[in-house]
PDB file of all heavy atoms in Angstrom:
ATOM      1  N   THR A 435       0.838  -1.188   0.034  1.00  0.00           N
ATOM      2  CA  THR A 435      -0.015  -0.017  -0.036  1.00  0.00           C
ATOM      3  C   THR A 435       0.904   1.218  -0.013  1.00  0.00           C
ATOM      4  O   THR A 435       2.004   1.203   0.467  1.00  0.00           O
ATOM      5  CB  THR A 435      -0.914   0.064   1.227  1.00  0.00           C
ATOM      6  OG1 THR A 435      -0.097   0.102   2.411  1.00  0.00           O
ATOM      7  CG2 THR A 435      -1.811  -1.177   1.307  1.00  0.00           C
ATOM      8  N   GLU A 436       0.335   2.325  -0.572  1.00  0.00           N
ATOM      9  CA  GLU A 436       1.061   3.578  -0.559  1.00  0.00           C
ATOM     10  C   GLU A 436       0.280   4.548   0.402  1.00  0.00           C
ATOM     11  O   GLU A 436      -0.952   4.660   0.306  1.00  0.00           O
ATOM     12  CB  GLU A 436       1.056   4.161  -1.950  1.00  0.00           C
ATOM     13  CG  GLU A 436       1.811   5.473  -2.084  1.00  0.00           C
ATOM     14  CD  GLU A 436       1.842   6.021  -3.498  1.00  0.00           C
ATOM     15  OE1 GLU A 436       1.230   5.382  -4.350  1.00  0.00           O
ATOM     16  OE2 GLU A 436       2.434   7.110  -3.683  1.00  0.00           O
ATOM     17  N   ARG A 437       1.005   5.204   1.225  1.00  0.00           N
ATOM     18  CA  ARG A 437       0.399   6.089   2.173  1.00  0.00           C
ATOM     19  C   ARG A 437       0.516   7.615   1.676  1.00  0.00           C
ATOM     20  O   ARG A 437       1.604   8.054   1.418  1.00  0.00           O
ATOM     21  CB  ARG A 437       1.072   5.987   3.562  1.00  0.00           C
ATOM     22  CG  ARG A 437       0.520   6.881   4.633  1.00  0.00           C
ATOM     23  CD  ARG A 437       1.139   6.491   5.962  1.00  0.00           C
ATOM     24  NE  ARG A 437       0.757   7.422   7.028  1.00  0.00           N
ATOM     25  CZ  ARG A 437       1.544   8.440   7.400  1.00  0.00           C
ATOM     26  NH1 ARG A 437       2.656   8.722   6.706  1.00  0.00           N
ATOM     27  NH2 ARG A 437       1.159   9.221   8.380  1.00  0.00           N
ATOM     28  N   LYS A 438      -0.622   8.196   1.521  1.00  0.00           N
ATOM     29  CA  LYS A 438      -0.659   9.571   1.063  1.00  0.00           C
ATOM     30  C   LYS A 438      -1.056  10.510   2.233  1.00  0.00           C
ATOM     31  O   LYS A 438      -1.965  10.167   3.002  1.00  0.00           O
ATOM     32  CB  LYS A 438      -1.720   9.769  -0.061  1.00  0.00           C
ATOM     33  CG  LYS A 438      -1.457   8.953  -1.323  1.00  0.00           C
ATOM     34  CD  LYS A 438      -0.494   9.694  -2.207  1.00  0.00           C
ATOM     35  CE  LYS A 438      -0.453   9.008  -3.578  1.00  0.00           C
ATOM     36  NZ  LYS A 438       0.483   9.703  -4.531  1.00  0.00           N
ATOM     37  N   VAL A 439      -0.290  11.506   2.388  1.00  0.00           N
ATOM     38  CA  VAL A 439      -0.577  12.560   3.392  1.00  0.00           C
ATOM     39  C   VAL A 439      -0.943  13.846   2.671  1.00  0.00           C
ATOM     40  O   VAL A 439      -0.163  14.353   1.864  1.00  0.00           O
ATOM     41  CB  VAL A 439       0.634  12.784   4.327  1.00  0.00           C
ATOM     42  CG1 VAL A 439       0.298  13.855   5.339  1.00  0.00           C
ATOM     43  CG2 VAL A 439       0.986  11.530   5.063  1.00  0.00           C
ATOM     44  N   LEU A 440      -2.160  14.306   2.954  1.00  0.00           N
ATOM     45  CA  LEU A 440      -2.755  15.461   2.243  1.00  0.00           C
ATOM     46  C   LEU A 440      -3.130  16.568   3.223  1.00  0.00           C
ATOM     47  O   LEU A 440      -3.733  16.287   4.282  1.00  0.00           O
ATOM     48  CB  LEU A 440      -3.961  15.092   1.436  1.00  0.00           C
ATOM     49  CG  LEU A 440      -3.817  13.800   0.528  1.00  0.00           C
ATOM     50  CD1 LEU A 440      -5.185  13.352   0.048  1.00  0.00           C
ATOM     51  CD2 LEU A 440      -2.929  14.105  -0.635  1.00  0.00           C
ATOM     52  N   LEU A 441      -2.817  17.805   2.867  1.00  0.00           N
ATOM     53  CA  LEU A 441      -3.334  18.967   3.646  1.00  0.00           C
ATOM     54  C   LEU A 441      -4.513  19.538   2.884  1.00  0.00           C
ATOM     55  O   LEU A 441      -4.391  19.839   1.662  1.00  0.00           O
ATOM     56  CB  LEU A 441      -2.243  19.948   3.862  1.00  0.00           C
ATOM     57  CG  LEU A 441      -1.057  19.489   4.810  1.00  0.00           C
ATOM     58  CD1 LEU A 441      -0.047  20.634   4.934  1.00  0.00           C
ATOM     59  CD2 LEU A 441      -1.622  19.106   6.175  1.00  0.00           C
ATOM     60  N   VAL A 442      -5.609  19.779   3.549  1.00  0.00           N
ATOM     61  CA  VAL A 442      -6.838  20.288   2.889  1.00  0.00           C
ATOM     62  C   VAL A 442      -6.609  21.753   2.501  1.00  0.00           C
ATOM     63  O   VAL A 442      -6.303  22.612   3.370  1.00  0.00           O
ATOM     64  CB  VAL A 442      -8.029  20.138   3.804  1.00  0.00           C
ATOM     65  CG1 VAL A 442      -9.273  20.745   3.168  1.00  0.00           C
ATOM     66  CG2 VAL A 442      -8.243  18.683   4.163  1.00  0.00           C
ATOM     67  N   PRO A 443      -6.717  22.088   1.208  1.00  0.00           N
ATOM     68  CA  PRO A 443      -6.586  23.485   0.742  1.00  0.00           C
ATOM     69  C   PRO A 443      -7.827  24.316   1.094  1.00  0.00           C
ATOM     70  O   PRO A 443      -8.905  23.759   1.371  1.00  0.00           O
ATOM     71  CB  PRO A 443      -6.371  23.404  -0.731  1.00  0.00           C
ATOM     72  CG  PRO A 443      -7.140  22.101  -1.100  1.00  0.00           C
ATOM     73  CD  PRO A 443      -6.973  21.176   0.074  1.00  0.00           C
ATOM     74  N   GLU A 444      -7.699  25.576   0.999  1.00  0.00           N
ATOM     75  CA  GLU A 444      -8.791  26.494   1.338  1.00  0.00           C
ATOM     76  C   GLU A 444     -10.033  26.214   0.515  1.00  0.00           C
ATOM     77  O   GLU A 444     -11.154  26.258   0.965  1.00  0.00           O
ATOM     78  CB  GLU A 444      -8.357  27.931   1.190  1.00  0.00           C
ATOM     79  CG  GLU A 444      -9.403  28.978   1.635  1.00  0.00           C
ATOM     80  CD  GLU A 444      -8.887  30.390   1.577  1.00  0.00           C
ATOM     81  OE1 GLU A 444      -7.672  30.582   1.369  1.00  0.00           O
ATOM     82  OE2 GLU A 444      -9.658  31.297   1.740  1.00  0.00           O
ATOM     83  N   GLY A 445      -9.840  25.886  -0.743  1.00  0.00           N
ATOM     84  CA  GLY A 445     -10.905  25.746  -1.736  1.00  0.00           C
ATOM     85  C   GLY A 445     -11.790  24.519  -1.392  1.00  0.00           C
ATOM     86  O   GLY A 445     -12.881  24.443  -1.927  1.00  0.00           O
ATOM     87  N   LEU A 446     -11.324  23.602  -0.577  1.00  0.00           N
ATOM     88  CA  LEU A 446     -12.126  22.423  -0.240  1.00  0.00           C
ATOM     89  C   LEU A 446     -12.616  22.446   1.219  1.00  0.00           C
ATOM     90  O   LEU A 446     -13.243  21.483   1.626  1.00  0.00           O
ATOM     91  CB  LEU A 446     -11.257  21.120  -0.436  1.00  0.00           C
ATOM     92  CG  LEU A 446     -10.889  20.758  -1.892  1.00  0.00           C
ATOM     93  CD1 LEU A 446     -10.054  19.468  -1.888  1.00  0.00           C
ATOM     94  CD2 LEU A 446     -12.153  20.674  -2.735  1.00  0.00           C
ATOM     95  N   SER A 447     -12.349  23.513   1.896  1.00  0.00           N
ATOM     96  CA  SER A 447     -12.796  23.627   3.305  1.00  0.00           C
ATOM     97  C   SER A 447     -14.321  23.560   3.351  1.00  0.00           C
ATOM     98  O   SER A 447     -15.033  24.204   2.574  1.00  0.00           O
ATOM     99  CB  SER A 447     -12.334  24.960   3.957  1.00  0.00           C
ATOM    100  OG  SER A 447     -12.760  24.994   5.269  1.00  0.00           O
ATOM    101  N   GLY A 448     -14.820  22.720   4.230  1.00  0.00           N
ATOM    102  CA  GLY A 448     -16.293  22.509   4.383  1.00  0.00           C
ATOM    103  C   GLY A 448     -16.866  21.400   3.591  1.00  0.00           C
ATOM    104  O   GLY A 448     -18.000  21.049   3.730  1.00  0.00           O
ATOM    105  N   GLU A 449     -15.984  20.786   2.671  1.00  0.00           N
ATOM    106  CA  GLU A 449     -16.486  19.697   1.822  1.00  0.00           C
ATOM    107  C   GLU A 449     -16.608  18.408   2.703  1.00  0.00           C
ATOM    108  O   GLU A 449     -15.914  18.246   3.672  1.00  0.00           O
ATOM    109  CB  GLU A 449     -15.570  19.411   0.684  1.00  0.00           C
ATOM    110  CG  GLU A 449     -15.606  20.453  -0.425  1.00  0.00           C
ATOM    111  CD  GLU A 449     -16.671  20.150  -1.415  1.00  0.00           C
ATOM    112  OE1 GLU A 449     -17.465  19.182  -1.215  1.00  0.00           O
ATOM    113  OE2 GLU A 449     -16.724  20.820  -2.477  1.00  0.00           O
ATOM    114  N   ARG A 450     -17.468  17.474   2.196  1.00  0.00           N
ATOM    115  CA  ARG A 450     -17.414  16.160   2.822  1.00  0.00           C
ATOM    116  C   ARG A 450     -16.073  15.545   2.548  1.00  0.00           C
ATOM    117  O   ARG A 450     -15.489  15.774   1.522  1.00  0.00           O
ATOM    118  CB  ARG A 450     -18.571  15.281   2.228  1.00  0.00           C
ATOM    119  CG  ARG A 450     -19.906  15.540   2.789  1.00  0.00           C
ATOM    120  CD  ARG A 450     -20.998  14.794   2.053  1.00  0.00           C
ATOM    121  NE  ARG A 450     -20.577  13.419   1.829  1.00  0.00           N
ATOM    122  CZ  ARG A 450     -21.416  12.354   2.105  1.00  0.00           C
ATOM    123  NH1 ARG A 450     -22.584  12.586   2.588  1.00  0.00           N
ATOM    124  NH2 ARG A 450     -21.061  11.141   1.783  1.00  0.00           N
ATOM    125  N   VAL A 451     -15.599  14.685   3.449  1.00  0.00           N
ATOM    126  CA  VAL A 451     -14.275  14.096   3.392  1.00  0.00           C
ATOM    127  C   VAL A 451     -14.186  13.217   2.135  1.00  0.00           C
ATOM    128  O   VAL A 451     -13.139  13.176   1.504  1.00  0.00           O
ATOM    129  CB  VAL A 451     -13.901  13.340   4.637  1.00  0.00           C
ATOM    130  CG1 VAL A 451     -14.747  12.134   4.870  1.00  0.00           C
ATOM    131  CG2 VAL A 451     -12.426  12.970   4.613  1.00  0.00           C
ATOM    132  N   ASP A 452     -15.260  12.465   1.791  1.00  0.00           N
ATOM    133  CA  ASP A 452     -15.150  11.583   0.582  1.00  0.00           C
ATOM    134  C   ASP A 452     -14.984  12.412  -0.679  1.00  0.00           C
ATOM    135  O   ASP A 452     -14.240  12.063  -1.570  1.00  0.00           O
ATOM    136  CB  ASP A 452     -16.382  10.646   0.550  1.00  0.00           C
ATOM    137  CG  ASP A 452     -17.680  11.316   0.532  1.00  0.00           C
ATOM    138  OD1 ASP A 452     -17.757  12.551   0.820  1.00  0.00           O
ATOM    139  OD2 ASP A 452     -18.664  10.619   0.302  1.00  0.00           O
ATOM    140  N   ALA A 453     -15.729  13.527  -0.769  1.00  0.00           N
ATOM    141  CA  ALA A 453     -15.638  14.405  -1.962  1.00  0.00           C
ATOM    142  C   ALA A 453     -14.277  15.042  -2.027  1.00  0.00           C
ATOM    143  O   ALA A 453     -13.687  15.181  -3.079  1.00  0.00           O
ATOM    144  CB  ALA A 453     -16.745  15.458  -1.928  1.00  0.00           C
ATOM    145  N   ALA A 454     -13.696  15.528  -0.885  1.00  0.00           N
ATOM    146  CA  ALA A 454     -12.415  16.202  -0.808  1.00  0.00           C
ATOM    147  C   ALA A 454     -11.284  15.243  -1.300  1.00  0.00           C
ATOM    148  O   ALA A 454     -10.456  15.628  -2.131  1.00  0.00           O
ATOM    149  CB  ALA A 454     -12.130  16.719   0.518  1.00  0.00           C
ATOM    150  N   ILE A 455     -11.274  14.034  -0.725  1.00  0.00           N
ATOM    151  CA  ILE A 455     -10.237  13.087  -1.145  1.00  0.00           C
ATOM    152  C   ILE A 455     -10.399  12.687  -2.622  1.00  0.00           C
ATOM    153  O   ILE A 455      -9.371  12.597  -3.367  1.00  0.00           O
ATOM    154  CB  ILE A 455     -10.297  11.829  -0.256  1.00  0.00           C
ATOM    155  CG1 ILE A 455      -9.924  12.195   1.176  1.00  0.00           C
ATOM    156  CG2 ILE A 455      -9.422  10.761  -0.799  1.00  0.00           C
ATOM    157  CD1 ILE A 455     -10.126  11.073   2.142  1.00  0.00           C
ATOM    158  N   ALA A 456     -11.600  12.481  -3.105  1.00  0.00           N
ATOM    159  CA  ALA A 456     -11.833  12.168  -4.471  1.00  0.00           C
ATOM    160  C   ALA A 456     -11.226  13.217  -5.411  1.00  0.00           C
ATOM    161  O   ALA A 456     -10.615  12.922  -6.417  1.00  0.00           O
ATOM    162  CB  ALA A 456     -13.341  11.936  -4.765  1.00  0.00           C
ATOM    163  N   ARG A 457     -11.436  14.493  -5.046  1.00  0.00           N
ATOM    164  CA  ARG A 457     -10.956  15.575  -5.879  1.00  0.00           C
ATOM    165  C   ARG A 457      -9.386  15.671  -5.801  1.00  0.00           C
ATOM    166  O   ARG A 457      -8.740  15.927  -6.809  1.00  0.00           O
ATOM    167  CB  ARG A 457     -11.611  16.890  -5.513  1.00  0.00           C
ATOM    168  CG  ARG A 457     -13.107  16.910  -5.837  1.00  0.00           C
ATOM    169  CD  ARG A 457     -13.770  18.183  -5.425  1.00  0.00           C
ATOM    170  NE  ARG A 457     -13.262  19.334  -6.091  1.00  0.00           N
ATOM    171  CZ  ARG A 457     -13.710  20.550  -5.881  1.00  0.00           C
ATOM    172  NH1 ARG A 457     -14.642  20.806  -4.990  1.00  0.00           N
ATOM    173  NH2 ARG A 457     -13.162  21.587  -6.526  1.00  0.00           N
ATOM    174  N   MET A 458      -8.828  15.490  -4.636  1.00  0.00           N
ATOM    175  CA  MET A 458      -7.400  15.698  -4.481  1.00  0.00           C
ATOM    176  C   MET A 458      -6.621  14.512  -5.091  1.00  0.00           C
ATOM    177  O   MET A 458      -5.492  14.741  -5.559  1.00  0.00           O
ATOM    178  CB  MET A 458      -7.074  15.826  -2.921  1.00  0.00           C
ATOM    179  CG  MET A 458      -7.393  17.178  -2.392  1.00  0.00           C
ATOM    180  SD  MET A 458      -6.734  17.494  -0.712  1.00  0.00           S
ATOM    181  CE  MET A 458      -7.872  16.528   0.252  1.00  0.00           C
ATOM    182  N   LEU A 459      -7.225  13.286  -5.025  1.00  0.00           N
ATOM    183  CA  LEU A 459      -6.402  12.174  -5.528  1.00  0.00           C
ATOM    184  C   LEU A 459      -6.902  11.641  -6.896  1.00  0.00           C
ATOM    185  O   LEU A 459      -6.346  10.736  -7.449  1.00  0.00           O
ATOM    186  CB  LEU A 459      -6.488  11.012  -4.477  1.00  0.00           C
ATOM    187  CG  LEU A 459      -5.745  11.196  -3.176  1.00  0.00           C
ATOM    188  CD1 LEU A 459      -5.875  10.007  -2.324  1.00  0.00           C
ATOM    189  CD2 LEU A 459      -4.294  11.566  -3.432  1.00  0.00           C
ATOM    190  N   GLY A 460      -8.010  12.240  -7.360  1.00  0.00           N
ATOM    191  CA  GLY A 460      -8.501  11.832  -8.695  1.00  0.00           C
ATOM    192  C   GLY A 460      -9.136  10.437  -8.645  1.00  0.00           C
ATOM    193  O   GLY A 460      -9.148   9.691  -9.596  1.00  0.00           O
ATOM    194  N   LEU A 461      -9.696  10.046  -7.525  1.00  0.00           N
ATOM    195  CA  LEU A 461     -10.414   8.727  -7.355  1.00  0.00           C
ATOM    196  C   LEU A 461     -11.896   8.964  -7.451  1.00  0.00           C
ATOM    197  O   LEU A 461     -12.439  10.076  -7.305  1.00  0.00           O
ATOM    198  CB  LEU A 461     -10.098   8.153  -5.916  1.00  0.00           C
ATOM    199  CG  LEU A 461      -8.633   7.921  -5.599  1.00  0.00           C
ATOM    200  CD1 LEU A 461      -8.482   7.474  -4.148  1.00  0.00           C
ATOM    201  CD2 LEU A 461      -8.045   6.839  -6.541  1.00  0.00           C
ATOM    202  N   SER A 462     -12.582   7.900  -7.786  1.00  0.00           N
ATOM    203  CA  SER A 462     -14.056   7.944  -7.770  1.00  0.00           C
ATOM    204  C   SER A 462     -14.496   8.007  -6.322  1.00  0.00           C
ATOM    205  O   SER A 462     -13.836   7.506  -5.421  1.00  0.00           O
ATOM    206  CB  SER A 462     -14.642   6.672  -8.409  1.00  0.00           C
ATOM    207  OG  SER A 462     -14.413   5.562  -7.607  1.00  0.00           O
ATOM    208  N   ARG A 463     -15.647   8.675  -6.083  1.00  0.00           N
ATOM    209  CA  ARG A 463     -16.138   8.763  -4.695  1.00  0.00           C
ATOM    210  C   ARG A 463     -16.463   7.368  -4.142  1.00  0.00           C
ATOM    211  O   ARG A 463     -16.275   7.126  -2.986  1.00  0.00           O
ATOM    212  CB  ARG A 463     -17.388   9.635  -4.657  1.00  0.00           C
ATOM    213  CG  ARG A 463     -17.874   9.861  -3.220  1.00  0.00           C
ATOM    214  CD  ARG A 463     -18.999  10.850  -3.095  1.00  0.00           C
ATOM    215  NE  ARG A 463     -18.573  12.214  -3.376  1.00  0.00           N
ATOM    216  CZ  ARG A 463     -19.354  13.263  -3.258  1.00  0.00           C
ATOM    217  NH1 ARG A 463     -20.567  13.132  -2.732  1.00  0.00           N
ATOM    218  NH2 ARG A 463     -18.900  14.456  -3.544  1.00  0.00           N
ATOM    219  N   SER A 464     -16.915   6.441  -4.975  1.00  0.00           N
ATOM    220  CA  SER A 464     -17.224   5.055  -4.502  1.00  0.00           C
ATOM    221  C   SER A 464     -15.968   4.451  -3.923  1.00  0.00           C
ATOM    222  O   SER A 464     -16.009   3.781  -2.860  1.00  0.00           O
ATOM    223  CB  SER A 464     -17.791   4.243  -5.650  1.00  0.00           C
ATOM    224  OG  SER A 464     -19.000   4.761  -6.089  1.00  0.00           O
ATOM    225  N   ARG A 465     -14.825   4.675  -4.634  1.00  0.00           N
ATOM    226  CA  ARG A 465     -13.529   4.111  -4.179  1.00  0.00           C
ATOM    227  C   ARG A 465     -13.161   4.697  -2.850  1.00  0.00           C
ATOM    228  O   ARG A 465     -12.683   4.030  -1.915  1.00  0.00           O
ATOM    229  CB  ARG A 465     -12.434   4.314  -5.198  1.00  0.00           C
ATOM    230  CG  ARG A 465     -11.072   3.970  -4.816  1.00  0.00           C
ATOM    231  CD  ARG A 465     -10.933   2.483  -4.519  1.00  0.00           C
ATOM    232  NE  ARG A 465      -9.487   2.119  -4.166  1.00  0.00           N
ATOM    233  CZ  ARG A 465      -9.193   1.116  -3.362  1.00  0.00           C
ATOM    234  NH1 ARG A 465     -10.095   0.371  -2.827  1.00  0.00           N
ATOM    235  NH2 ARG A 465      -7.921   0.880  -3.147  1.00  0.00           N
ATOM    236  N   VAL A 466     -13.351   5.984  -2.684  1.00  0.00           N
ATOM    237  CA  VAL A 466     -12.968   6.703  -1.417  1.00  0.00           C
ATOM    238  C   VAL A 466     -13.852   6.176  -0.241  1.00  0.00           C
ATOM    239  O   VAL A 466     -13.361   5.954   0.805  1.00  0.00           O
ATOM    240  CB  VAL A 466     -13.094   8.236  -1.531  1.00  0.00           C
ATOM    241  CG1 VAL A 466     -12.796   8.906  -0.223  1.00  0.00           C
ATOM    242  CG2 VAL A 466     -12.158   8.734  -2.584  1.00  0.00           C
ATOM    243  N   VAL A 467     -15.144   6.049  -0.515  1.00  0.00           N
ATOM    244  CA  VAL A 467     -16.094   5.481   0.502  1.00  0.00           C
ATOM    245  C   VAL A 467     -15.669   4.109   0.946  1.00  0.00           C
ATOM    246  O   VAL A 467     -15.676   3.776   2.107  1.00  0.00           O
ATOM    247  CB  VAL A 467     -17.530   5.495  -0.008  1.00  0.00           C
ATOM    248  CG1 VAL A 467     -18.452   4.683   0.914  1.00  0.00           C
ATOM    249  CG2 VAL A 467     -18.047   6.892  -0.215  1.00  0.00           C
ATOM    250  N   GLU A 468     -15.174   3.315  -0.078  1.00  0.00           N
ATOM    251  CA  GLU A 468     -14.716   1.979   0.281  1.00  0.00           C
ATOM    252  C   GLU A 468     -13.445   2.085   1.200  1.00  0.00           C
ATOM    253  O   GLU A 468     -13.307   1.312   2.195  1.00  0.00           O
ATOM    254  CB  GLU A 468     -14.338   1.301  -1.033  1.00  0.00           C
ATOM    255  CG  GLU A 468     -13.816  -0.118  -0.893  1.00  0.00           C
ATOM    256  CD  GLU A 468     -13.416  -0.652  -2.259  1.00  0.00           C
ATOM    257  OE1 GLU A 468     -14.236  -0.690  -3.167  1.00  0.00           O
ATOM    258  OE2 GLU A 468     -12.206  -1.068  -2.398  1.00  0.00           O
ATOM    259  N   LEU A 469     -12.521   2.965   0.882  1.00  0.00           N
ATOM    260  CA  LEU A 469     -11.322   3.092   1.729  1.00  0.00           C
ATOM    261  C   LEU A 469     -11.675   3.610   3.118  1.00  0.00           C
ATOM    262  O   LEU A 469     -11.121   3.083   4.123  1.00  0.00           O
ATOM    263  CB  LEU A 469     -10.336   4.158   1.040  1.00  0.00           C
ATOM    264  CG  LEU A 469      -9.677   3.719  -0.246  1.00  0.00           C
ATOM    265  CD1 LEU A 469      -8.994   4.895  -0.887  1.00  0.00           C
ATOM    266  CD2 LEU A 469      -8.702   2.584  -0.012  1.00  0.00           C
ATOM    267  N   ILE A 470     -12.648   4.524   3.263  1.00  0.00           N
ATOM    268  CA  ILE A 470     -12.995   4.997   4.542  1.00  0.00           C
ATOM    269  C   ILE A 470     -13.661   3.915   5.345  1.00  0.00           C
ATOM    270  O   ILE A 470     -13.332   3.628   6.506  1.00  0.00           O
ATOM    271  CB  ILE A 470     -14.043   6.194   4.412  1.00  0.00           C
ATOM    272  CG1 ILE A 470     -13.280   7.408   3.832  1.00  0.00           C
ATOM    273  CG2 ILE A 470     -14.623   6.527   5.772  1.00  0.00           C
ATOM    274  CD1 ILE A 470     -14.200   8.536   3.443  1.00  0.00           C
ATOM    275  N   GLY A 471     -14.507   3.042   4.682  1.00  0.00           N
ATOM    276  CA  GLY A 471     -15.177   1.977   5.354  1.00  0.00           C
ATOM    277  C   GLY A 471     -14.229   0.907   5.811  1.00  0.00           C
ATOM    278  O   GLY A 471     -14.479   0.227   6.831  1.00  0.00           O
ATOM    279  N   ASP A 472     -13.104   0.729   5.111  1.00  0.00           N
ATOM    280  CA  ASP A 472     -12.094  -0.262   5.491  1.00  0.00           C
ATOM    281  C   ASP A 472     -11.075   0.263   6.518  1.00  0.00           C
ATOM    282  O   ASP A 472     -10.082  -0.421   6.876  1.00  0.00           O
ATOM    283  CB  ASP A 472     -11.326  -0.752   4.236  1.00  0.00           C
ATOM    284  CG  ASP A 472     -12.221  -1.597   3.335  1.00  0.00           C
ATOM    285  OD1 ASP A 472     -13.242  -2.072   3.799  1.00  0.00           O
ATOM    286  OD2 ASP A 472     -11.861  -1.725   2.145  1.00  0.00           O
TER     287      ASP A 472
END
C-alpha cells in the first residue's frame, strides 16, 4: 500500500471528506467511500 498525506486546501474547506479526497487524488467517490469503510 502507498500512504498519502494530504493537507486540505482552502478551496475544499467545508467539503465532505469523501468528496475532498476524491478531488485531491482523482479517485471515484465510491472508491474513497470503500477506503473509509475499510
Side-chain angles (χ1 to χ4, degrees):
T435 63
E436 181 181 3
R437 180 170 173 268
K438 297 278 190 179
V439 178
L440 311 166
L441 293 179
V442 177
E444 185 175 352
L446 293 181
S447 183
E449 286 274 7
R450 281 173 48 131
V451 67
D452 54 349
I455 294 172
R457 292 177 66 181
M458 285 190 283
L459 292 181
L461 300 174
S462 68
R463 185 175 289 188
S464 298
R465 173 62 178 151
V466 175
V467 169
E468 180 184 306
L469 291 170
I470 293 172
D472 289 342

